[in-house]
Amino acid sequence: MSQVNNPVAIDNDGSAVLERNVEPSKQLAHTVAEAVELYDVDRTAAHIAEGGYSRVALQFPDELLADSTLVSAALQERTEARVFILADTSYGSCCVDEVAAEHYAADAVVHYGRTCLSLTTRLPVVYVFGRDAVDVADLCAQCESELQGSRVLLVSDVQYAHALEDIGKALRGICKEVAVSRIAVQDCAYVPGAEDAAEPGRLWELEHPIGEYTMLYVGEESLTLTNLLVTQRCQSAFSYAPQTRTLRAESARVNRHLSRRYHMVQRARDANVVGIVVGTLAAVRYQSVVDALKQLIRRAGKKFYVFVVGKLNVAKLANFPEIEAYVLVACPENSLVDSKDFYQPVVTPYELLLALSRSHEWTGDYITDFHAFLNELDQRTDDDVGDEEDVPHFSLVTGTLRQARRYNDPRASSSRDVTVQSGSTEIAQYMGSAGAEHLLARAFRGLGHDDQEGEDSEPMLAVDGLSGIASKYTHETK
């Protein structure tokens, strides 16, 4: 991604924007021959020819865009398909951007770099992970003292998947047992709806319960590592970073992460107004999850709003101060947002289910997959969701009893309904409007709203305002 340095002050004349230095992404391949080797161009061309695709979208993450033109030229020489490059994806670059590809009538997508391996719904996908180097001897030397005689589950980030078999063979001389994971679509294309089609995801076979294994992750610190740590309950975990050649224990990091997530669950339980943020349009069953969350929040007597904001950031969500908690519907990796920089907590659908559940206690199990979440939700009854009517609950965040505001309960008192009046004439009544309540609670609600009740005020005539720009109006030049 291009990095912007030296932020611009708001009172300058704009010249800093034109003079700013922008660092381009690092180019890994300098010739077509290098691009063919690094990006599996021959294998990709074979998949395109086998599928008979005529319009192919090449999706690159920001850090690989510098090589995109070389790869595109190499594929154009080897296939009869028309290829074009996708950049600046609508959501996370780890997800296949089917929406952008369909804007150009693509009939297939080639996805490069890191991926969350989420299922797509419409377009065939060819995955190109890359083949980053791993020093197997150094990895085994560092693992010898930590993993001696252990049962090990070996997983990796996608760019190191090619080396897992070699690493597994080397570790079998040290460990009691080594289960090597594999990625189903590493050497084949994924075609939605095809019979016997390999589905994206990590697969492994274990002879014993997963709680008896130590996870060894090969790759740099990433959202993939975080997702694996919280969803797979191994007895311990280590990560090996090939770029820095360092081995690190991850158990303490998992405990800290889960503690932060549990705190956000408690904050979500205290929230009366929840924002549902749609963070993907490609993952299978995302719409079913959104609909299920609406029903869940409605049964709990809370108010919800649905937002589609593209890539998530603090500034976008800060525009809605009446929202007390957000639930993010995204791929398994992008849904685990570290919301310490956000003004309100951002939780996953499973965390919201825990927050609104009356009797279910968190055992440490974690669900980020849409299918597993919907199955878990089907097992809950209506009586298990929300607080009992007119019974306050004890907030672990504030340490006080809280009375929930029930927005969708027809039996709830209408005394909290917001009425907006002008003089003695009722203009409108907002039945259970969280936005209107927040507006009326503000000290300043806009021009004309601060007049005392019953006081007649003459309407003001329109007058000429200031002209120029904010840093120097025309009347200030004299």
Side-chain angles (χ1 to χ4, degrees):
M1 178 185 295
S2 298
Q3 298 182 352
V4 177
N5 299 320
N6 303 325
V8 181
I10 61 175
D11 60 348
N12 69 77
D13 59 1
S15 60
V17 176
L18 302 177
E19 298 172 358
R20 178 187 300 155
N21 293 325
V22 178
E23 298 179 5
S25 56
K26 184 179 179 181
Q27 189 170 3
L28 301 179
H30 299 281
T31 64
V32 173
E34 291 180 356
V36 170
E37 178 67 22
L38 288 173
Y39 293 95
D40 284 344
V41 171
D42 291 330
R43 179 178 69 87
T44 305
H47 285 307
I48 294 174
E50 181 181 354
Y53 307 128
S54 58
R55 294 178 61 85
V56 179
L58 309 182
Q59 180 179 336
F60 287 85
D62 294 336
E63 62 269 18
L64 299 180
L65 272 178
D67 295 334
S68 59
T69 54
L70 289 175
V71 176
S72 175
L75 279 174
Q76 198 72 65
E77 293 176 355
R78 289 164 172 76
T79 66
E80 297 180 357
R82 183 178 181 182
V83 299
F84 48 91
I85 300 168
L86 296 181
D88 191 22
T89 54
S90 303
Y91 299 96
S93 60
C94 63
C95 299
V96 177
D97 197 347
E98 287 186 296
V99 175
E102 289 182 331
H103 287 169
Y104 293 92
D107 49 17
V109 179
V110 182
H111 186 283
Y112 293 92
R114 289 194 60 258
T115 174
C116 56
L117 299 172
S118 297
L119 294 176
T120 56
T121 57
R122 300 178 293 274
L123 296 180
V125 184
V126 178
Y127 290 95
V128 179
F129 302 142
R131 303 173 66 86
D132 289 0
V134 182
D135 190 336
V136 179
D138 179 74
L139 185 154
C140 292
Q142 295 196 44
C143 290
E144 186 171 1
S145 60
E146 300 288 351
L147 303 179
Q148 184 74 39
S150 302
R151 291 189 173 96
V152 174
L153 171 59
L154 182 62
V155 296
S156 75
D157 210 343
V158 292
Q159 64 266 37
Y160 302 107
H162 67 95
L164 285 188
E165 286 296 337
D166 293 337
I167 296 173
K169 291 178 181 178
L171 288 176
R172 288 188 176 95
I174 301 172
C175 306
K176 182 177 181 179
E177 177 189 343
V178 178
V180 181
S181 66
R182 62 183 180 87
I183 299 176
V185 292
Q186 184 172 349
D187 299 315
C188 62
Y190 169 60
V191 182
E195 294 184 4
D196 301 327
E199 294 186 351
R202 290 176 174 82
L203 306 174
W204 54 71
E205 297 179 359
L206 303 179
E207 299 178 1
H208 302 274
I210 194 170
E212 299 181 13
Y213 287 80
T214 295
M215 179 187 296
L216 175 59
Y217 174 85
V218 180
E220 316 305 320
E221 184 173 349
S222 64
L223 293 174
T224 300
L225 173 59
T226 302
N227 183 55
L228 288 171
L229 290 176
V230 299
T231 57
Q232 308 301 326
R233 300 188 65 185
C234 296
Q235 65 177 4
S236 60
F238 292 86
S239 66
Y240 177 82
Q243 294 183 8
T244 58
R245 298 188 179 185
T246 55
L247 183 70
R248 185 175 69 175
E250 298 289 350
S251 300
R253 178 169 172 262
V254 175
N255 294 335
R256 289 194 301 270
H257 182 81
L258 290 178
S259 296
R260 290 196 299 268
R261 304 303 304 187
Y262 184 73
H263 175 73
M264 287 189 287
V265 169
Q266 296 304 316
R267 291 184 62 187
R269 186 185 183 194
D270 291 348
N272 293 320
V273 185
V274 180
I276 302 175
V277 181
V278 181
T280 180
L281 296 178
V284 170
R285 302 190 73 180
Y286 84 90
Q287 187 61 59
S288 299
V289 173
V290 173
D291 293 337
L293 289 173
K294 292 179 181 178
Q295 294 296 328
L296 178 68
I297 297 170
R298 188 177 289 113
R299 293 204 309 267
K302 300 179 184 294
K303 183 74 174 180
F304 68 83
Y305 294 92
V306 181
F307 301 92
V308 181
V309 297
K311 292 181 179 178
L312 204 64
N313 61 45
V314 175
K316 290 179 180 178
L317 298 191
N319 287 313
F320 311 100
E322 64 271 25
I323 305 298
E324 299 174 2
Y326 291 94
V327 54
L328 177 60
V329 180
C331 70
E333 295 186 5
N334 284 328
S335 62
L336 294 171
V337 175
D338 187 0
S339 58
K340 63 183 179 182
D341 294 330
F342 290 82
Y343 294 100
Q344 302 295 354
V346 182
V347 300
T348 67
Y350 179 67
E351 288 171 342
L352 184 67
L353 176 60
L354 292 174
L356 302 183
S357 177
R358 187 182 306 165
S359 59
H360 187 76
E361 295 182 356
W362 193 7
T363 61
D365 291 329
Y366 215 90
I367 296 175
T368 56
D369 179 72
F370 287 168
H371 297 273
F373 167 73
L374 292 172
N375 292 335
E376 179 75 14
L377 188 60
D378 289 340
Q379 299 175 10
R380 306 296 176 92
T381 62
D382 291 349
D383 295 335
D384 185 46
V385 175
D387 296 310
E388 297 182 14
E389 184 181 2
D390 298 330
V391 176
H393 74 271
F394 182 77
S395 170
L396 295 179
V397 179
T398 63
T400 60
L401 288 174
R402 288 178 57 93
Q403 180 69 53
R405 165 75 161 98
R406 302 189 68 84
Y407 281 96
N408 303 300
D409 190 350
R411 298 168 296 178
S413 171
S414 61
S415 61
R416 296 286 301 276
D417 293 338
V418 181
T419 302
V420 179
Q421 296 181 339
S422 176
S424 60
T425 306
E426 182 179 280
I427 297 177
Q429 188 176 30
Y430 295 83
M431 301 298 294
S433 172
E437 285 189 355
H438 180 80
L439 178 63
L440 290 182
R442 294 173 58 180
F444 176 73
R445 301 194 300 272
L447 295 175
H449 288 278
D450 295 324
D451 298 332
Q452 294 183 0
E453 187 175 354
E455 192 178 281
D456 294 331
S457 58
E458 292 292 333
M460 293 181 59
L461 297 177
V463 297
D464 290 335
L466 301 178
S467 60
I469 61 176
S471 62
K472 183 180 292 185
Y473 290 107
T474 53
H475 74 279
E476 297 175 336
T477 58
K478 298 179 181 179

